[in-house]
Amino acid sequence: MMLLIAFLNTGEPTVMNTGTHPTVVRTGRGLSIAGTRTTLYSILDYVHADWPPKLIRDRLNLTEQQITDALDYIAAHRADVEAEYQQVLHDAQEIRQYWEDRYRERLAAIAARPPKPEQAAIRAKLAAVKARLSEQ
């Protein structure tokens, strides 16, 4: 008999009887499928996109038991899992925005620098090729 174990925000263990090994576990990445790097949040991305379980299973390379246990867990703890999922999406958006801003600033700083003298010859060749292509 598998025990499906996870700790929700309450800190209390949640156990579902599903076989001989835990399928859903809490890791540093959040609720995950045991033995994989697949989170329940990844599965929720596909569930929200209305993918059928078989396609989710195939896409994430999960077993029938893993996808069934994960979907059962999500259904049994929908509110808590959805709240964590929304927090994960929010955190991911903040991180993405931070790095996009940093990248934009870095590109602006690079573009503002004067060209290196050792690149003058190659820049002249590139300009000549561009001019020739624009004439055609």
Side-chain angles (χ1 to χ4, degrees):
M1 176 176 276
M2 185 180 302
L3 291 177
L4 185 63
I5 302 173
F7 292 89
L8 298 175
N9 291 335
T10 62
E12 295 296 318
T14 302
V15 179
M16 293 177 64
N17 295 324
T18 59
T20 57
H21 299 292
T23 301
V24 175
V25 294
R26 179 162 302 280
T27 65
R29 298 166 49 100
L31 293 171
S32 302
I33 304 295
T36 71
R37 293 180 52 97
T38 304
T39 64
L40 263 57
Y41 318 121
S42 296
I43 293 171
L44 276 173
D45 287 337
Y46 294 105
V47 169
H48 289 157
D50 294 326
W51 281 44
K54 183 180 183 329
L55 290 180
I56 298 171
R57 182 197 71 201
D58 293 345
R59 178 70 171 183
L60 298 176
N61 200 22
L62 299 172
T63 66
E64 185 66 37
Q65 186 67 46
Q66 287 172 323
I67 192 66
T68 301
D69 289 349
L71 292 175
D72 288 348
Y73 183 87
I74 290 168
H77 304 94
R78 190 66 176 208
D80 293 325
V81 174
E82 281 290 341
E84 285 186 42
Y85 177 68
Q86 292 305 317
Q87 185 61 46
V88 166
L89 291 178
H90 180 264
D91 293 348
Q93 179 58 33
E94 284 183 350
I95 292 167
R96 184 178 306 111
Q97 189 62 47
Y98 169 80
W99 285 108
E100 285 175 358
D101 293 345
R102 292 266 325 255
Y103 183 65
R104 193 176 307 107
E105 292 167 6
R106 179 76 177 130
L107 284 180
I110 291 170
R113 285 192 259 168
K116 296 179 181 178
E118 60 269 14
Q119 295 176 342
I122 193 69
R123 288 183 182 274
K125 284 183 183 179
L126 181 59
V129 169
K130 284 182 178 180
R132 189 177 36 180
L133 289 175
S134 65
E135 291 174 0
Q136 294 178 351

